[in-house]
Amino acid sequence: MNNTKLIPYLTFENTKSALDYYQRVFGVTDVTRQAPTEKQADEMALNKDVNLEDLTLRASFKILGQEVNCADSFMGKPVISSLISLMLQVDMHDSDESTNLENLYKQVAESEDAKVIVTFEKKSSGDKYGQIVDKYGITWIFNEIK
């Protein structure tokens, strides 16, 4: 039995702001956020005048029931990479999950803070597929398979 999980872990310059964005645009749920303690700030050699409540040591949220972890980049400004994409995949025979995926795609696609790269529609394979890039440069793949 394999108990290993692969959980996406995103790094932001301002995770607190990113969490607000994902709640507003993607409707994410189960949002948690932890600021660093004074001891942790000392260990990371953060400036004494920084407001710890504005920083995020660790955070998480769920999107369509899937967990995503995130935190601030304490090593400098994070670099945006087009090499990373997150795929949300459902079985098209599960009508509830298919509806949830389609509704999420529409919600995000209608946002001014995201760019549709590939329209979510049925492809020649019979699967439905679409891609959206969010304001942080993360590509979200919406995939409904047979």
Side-chain angles (χ1 to χ4, degrees), residues 1 16 20 23 26-27 42 62 64 75 84 86 88 94 98 107 110-111 120 126 144:
M1 184 162 109
K16 192 174 183 180
D20 290 340
Q23 284 179 294
F26 285 72
D42 285 342
K62 288 192 176 177
L64 296 182
M75 303 297 284
I84 306 255
L86 301 177
L88 296 167
D94 185 331
S98 292
Q107 177 180 328
E110 290 171 2
S111 167
F120 186 60
E144 185 181 281

Side-chain angles (χ1 to χ4, degrees), residues 2 45 47 51 72 80 82 89 92 100 125 129-130 143-144:
N2 186 344
N47 291 337
N51 181 354
D72 284 345
I80 295 175
S82 62
Q89 180 172 291
M92 68 176 47
N100 291 341
S125 64
Y129 179 89
N143 196 24
E144 185 181 281

Side-chain angles (χ1 to χ4, degrees), residues 109-145:
E110 290 171 2
S111 167
E112 294 178 8
D113 291 330
K115 181 179 179 183
V116 174
I117 302 301
V118 178
T119 305
F120 186 60
E121 59 190 11
K122 192 174 273 193
K123 305 301 179 192
S124 60
S125 64
D127 296 346
K128 284 181 80 175
Y129 179 89
Q131 286 186 12
I132 293 178
V133 176
D134 71 23
K135 82 175 207 171
Y136 295 99
I138 298 169
T139 301
W140 293 84
I141 300 171
F142 297 78
N143 196 24
E144 185 181 281
I145 61 171

